[in-house]
Amino acid sequence: MLIRHPTDIPPSEITPHSVYLNRRQFMLGSAGLLLPVASMAALPASKSRYSTTDKPNSRQDITSYNNYYEFGTSKDEPALYAGRLKTRPWTVAVGGEAGKPRSFSIEELLKFPQEERIYRLRCVEGWSMVIPWVGFPLASLLKQVDPTSRAKYVAFETALRPGEMPGVARRVLDWPYREGLRMDEAMHPLTILAVGLYGEALPGQNGAPVRLVVPWKYGFKSIKSISRITLLEKQPPTSWNMAAPSEYGFYSNVNPAVDHPRWSQASERRIGEFLKRKTLPFNGYADQVAGLYRGMDLVKNF
Ligand code: MTE
């Protein structure tokens, strides 16, 4: 996002996604890595009424075209390197303005009733995907720590493991990756912690073992491999806003009417499709979430 941008790249340099995938298959094949994946345990999940009816992208699309800068800034590096992150044991410390602060092990998180949530994901770079997540409402977790009346915001942090994350050697962002939500956004039923996709445990490149998914916001809000959640009275600093405050605001609601300073946000390319689609306000979730922002100037609060 900060390195090269759609508008900076001449069209002649852009590899069509299908060619890119074939090339990757070939690279993996020649490295001898294209072996059958060890069968992973299926995650039991009920269907959710919050799922979109849009056709999900393939598992191949979802797991080979990623942003996870801790493992490199190009789209194929997370799939190549994210497996280095040790995800067992794993704990998420939840504290701050909480009556009952505590840590949750990944085993405890997997015991929350899981749902399959098929959500659209709109990246700020101008592409989108449809992903069948497995997860549970963030609200279910936060209620267990008893937020105090001073808890107005929620801050999230990705684990920082320089020995396992080759990308953090470069100070592309001020590590650890940080994100935040207002308390009402965090408690909204659409906001989930995801522990899987396509019915199986989350692949490393998608944020194993647990990541946030906020479907009406640009994808960078959906922070991966979370190790800490802190309830706060004040709005927390966030990685992309710190890196480029004029380009990435705190709210980052998908908004076709507010252009990124260097490109339009009016349309998007769904990975796997040829023609562009119009971007929808709040990524198509306006009926459920527009009320959270009533009376706010969404041009100022971008
Ligand atoms: N979380 C961390 N820790 N580091 C990152 O670089 N990239 C974000 C978000 N979460 C990112 C992250 C961006 S820009 C996007 S678009 C989504 O992850 C991509 O999620 P996906 O790879 O599962 O599609």
Side-chain angles (χ1 to χ4, degrees):
M1 298 192 325
L2 206 62
I3 310 303
R4 293 190 87 193
H5 306 277
T7 45
D8 302 339
I9 303 174
S12 59
E13 267 190 49
I14 297 173
T15 309
H17 188 67
S18 55
V19 176
Y20 162 88
L21 283 180
N22 286 336
R23 216 181 263 166
R24 239 188 73 77
Q25 287 271 16
F26 174 75
M27 290 192 312
L28 290 173
S30 60
L33 291 171
L34 208 70
L35 300 165
V37 182
S39 64
M40 274 189 281
L43 285 175
S46 60
K47 302 265 175 237
S48 169
R49 65 190 179 94
Y50 293 109
S51 287
T52 170
T53 53
D54 289 10
K55 186 175 170 286
N57 280 88
S58 66
R59 196 176 198 283
Q60 171 74 3
D61 282 343
I62 296 168
T63 59
S64 63
Y65 190 81
N66 302 99
N67 277 331
Y68 196 167
Y69 277 21
E70 287 88 334
F71 297 98
T73 52
S74 64
K75 297 285 182 276
D76 57 341
E77 283 173 308
L80 293 171
Y81 304 125
R84 294 184 186 177
L85 183 67
K86 293 195 188 72
T87 57
R88 294 292 187 284
W90 192 274
T91 54
V92 181
V94 189
E97 289 295 345
K100 299 181 197 152
R102 57 165 286 202
S103 282
F104 293 85
S105 67
I106 186 62
E107 290 75 19
E108 288 170 318
L109 296 180
L110 289 167
K111 282 191 193 133
F112 281 81
Q114 307 290 337
E115 285 182 10
E116 182 182 70
R117 295 274 186 112
I118 307 172
Y119 278 167
R120 289 180 288 271
L121 179 140
R122 168 61 155 82
C123 181
V124 73
E125 295 164 336
W127 51 268
S128 64
M129 286 204 211
V130 178
I131 304 181
W133 302 110
V134 176
F136 58 96
L138 174 63
S140 310
L141 178 98
L142 294 180
K143 280 177 196 154
Q144 292 206 0
V145 301
D146 219 354
T148 73
S149 58
R150 282 189 298 274
K152 301 283 190 305
Y153 293 90
V154 188
F156 303 85
E157 249 180 60
T158 296
L160 180 55
R161 309 248 188 94
E164 298 167 22
M165 295 173 153
V168 304
R170 290 174 60 201
R171 300 210 22 108
V172 197
L173 292 171
D174 183 2
W175 313 111
Y177 194 101
R178 274 161 279 179
E179 258 311 331
L181 295 173
R182 214 169 57 188
M183 194 64 185
D184 57 345
E185 298 176 323
M187 298 301 283
H188 193 278
L190 282 175
T191 303
I192 59 167
L193 287 175
V195 293
L197 63 82
Y198 265 117
E200 291 176 349
L202 212 53
Q205 57 269 42
N206 296 96
V210 56
R211 59 91 60 85
L212 183 70
V213 183
V214 195
W216 71 95
K217 293 179 180 281
Y218 290 117
F220 67 87
K221 298 294 283 184
S222 293
I223 181 173
K224 297 178 171 179
S225 309
I226 298 169
S227 63
R228 184 183 301 278
I229 299 177
T230 313
L231 298 163
L232 296 169
E233 193 166 6
K234 299 238 161 64
Q235 184 178 305
T238 59
S239 291
W240 281 103
N241 180 251
M242 285 188 286
S246 61
E247 302 191 7
Y248 310 107
F250 178 80
Y251 285 95
S252 304
N253 292 319
V254 173
N255 191 345
V258 176
D259 288 342
H260 184 280
R262 289 179 287 128
W263 60 82
S264 164
Q265 292 291 24
S267 66
E268 67 201 53
R269 192 178 307 285
R270 179 73 49 86
I271 297 297
E273 291 182 356
F274 180 69
L275 294 176
K276 282 194 163 189
R277 294 172 173 251
K278 274 172 111 174
T279 288
L280 301 172
F282 299 104
N283 202 22
Y285 299 93
D287 286 351
Q288 294 97 311
V289 301
L292 297 177
Y293 309 102
R294 203 155 285 136
M296 275 176 73
D297 180 343
L298 296 179
V299 175
K300 270 198 200 124
N301 297 287
F302 61 97

